Amino acid sequence: MTYTYKNIKVNINVQGEGSPILLLHGWGCSNEIFRNIQQVLSQNYKTFNFDFPGFGASDEPETVWGTEEYTAMVEQFVKENNIEQPALIGHSFGGRISIIFASRNKVSRVVLVDAAGIKPKRPFKYYWKVYTFKMLKWLCNTFLPRAKALAIIDRRRKGAGSSDYNNASPKMRAILSKVVNEDLTHLLTKIKAPTLLFWGNQDTATPLSDAKTMERLIPDAGLVVAHGTGHFSFIENAGLFTAVMKNFFNIK
């Protein structure tokens, strides 16, 4: 189905019947990443598998959104479609949205998979790279012709930026820069629904220490560690993830 939110067309794959589950993918992905588990869950549930604005078949936001704006879009969709107390499954960036949504709305259950939301402790080298890049941009845009300035900035960005940043459009780069440092730790205690954390012990993007912090702060939380997997633990060990989801959602 196509959902229109503030003139933005949002693609949502809907399957199954029953109580609702929202599937919220991570940065740089689309709803394709959840297709296999969606087929399992849709045996017993009505599943809504989102392409977030800027990803998959959905339009880009018209302005630079933060996690709040993405969450507000999901909340409006839920309200307009009379969806009551959905379950949430959020990976990485989708975990950010799940945390905010669950902290202020009634949900039945929450699954956070290698979820973002805790601001990482970064070394001095990281901040040196960020602020010298900002200074370079200012100097180039102030003193050089536009074409030359853009060429220098783009060359520096490709050499220093992450793959997520380099692969994004200019607007999505601005959104990534906005959301990546948002700290949602203060919201974790407000999640009252049963919460399952599924994590790769070799995840370097959102380390296992983040999962342990979430487990400690969310009142009703349990952690499953997928050993030998990284940031996409649910794909790297799909068998374990499927078994855990079937158990958590009572699917025989």
Side-chain angles (χ1 to χ4, degrees), residues 37-157:
I37 198 62
Q38 182 180 19
Q39 291 179 2
V40 174
L41 296 171
S42 62
Q43 298 173 30
N44 294 65
Y45 294 87
K46 188 168 187 178
T47 57
F48 299 86
N49 193 359
F50 284 73
D51 273 344
F52 285 131
F55 303 97
S58 294
D59 295 340
E60 284 192 0
E62 295 180 342
T63 58
V64 177
W65 283 13
T67 312
E68 173 61 35
E69 286 79 7
Y70 278 96
T71 307
M73 181 274 295
V74 176
E75 289 175 325
Q76 188 65 27
F77 172 80
V78 166
K79 180 179 179 181
E80 290 182 8
N81 287 274
N82 299 311
I83 297 172
E84 296 183 358
Q85 297 190 42
L88 309 175
I89 300 178
H91 170 245
S92 193
F93 173 66
R96 290 184 183 275
I97 296 166
S98 299
I99 289 169
I100 296 178
F101 189 102
S103 72
R104 65 191 189 198
N105 296 279
K106 289 184 177 181
V107 299
S108 61
R109 303 175 208 191
V110 181
V111 180
L112 299 176
V113 185
D114 298 295
I118 295 178
K119 188 174 181 178
K121 296 179 181 178
R122 294 191 169 102
F124 173 78
K125 182 179 179 181
Y126 168 84
Y127 293 101
W128 173 261
K129 184 169 68 173
V130 169
Y131 288 108
T132 54
F133 181 59
K134 288 183 178 181
M135 178 61 72
L136 175 69
K137 287 176 65 176
W138 181 83
L139 289 170
C140 289
N141 289 327
T142 302
F143 297 108
L144 296 177
R146 179 170 175 78
K148 188 172 183 179
L150 290 175
I152 293 172
I153 292 168
D154 190 57
R155 187 163 59 248
R156 171 66 182 274
R157 174 183 59 76

Side-chain angles (χ1 to χ4, degrees), residues 6 18 24 76 130 134-135 164 173 198:
K6 295 184 176 180
L24 310 174
Q76 188 65 27
V130 169
K134 288 183 178 181
M135 178 61 72
D164 281 341
R173 287 178 199 149
F198 190 92

Side-chain angles (χ1 to χ4, degrees), residues 4 37 39-40 43 52 57 64 99 124 126 142 153 166 170 175-176 179 191 196 200 213 215 223 244 246:
T4 302
I37 198 62
Q39 291 179 2
V40 174
Q43 298 173 30
F52 285 131
V64 177
I99 289 169
F124 173 78
Y126 168 84
T142 302
I153 292 168
N166 289 332
I175 291 174
L176 178 58
V179 305
I191 299 175
L196 173 68
T213 298
E215 183 184 26
L223 171 62
V244 170
K246 283 185 173 182

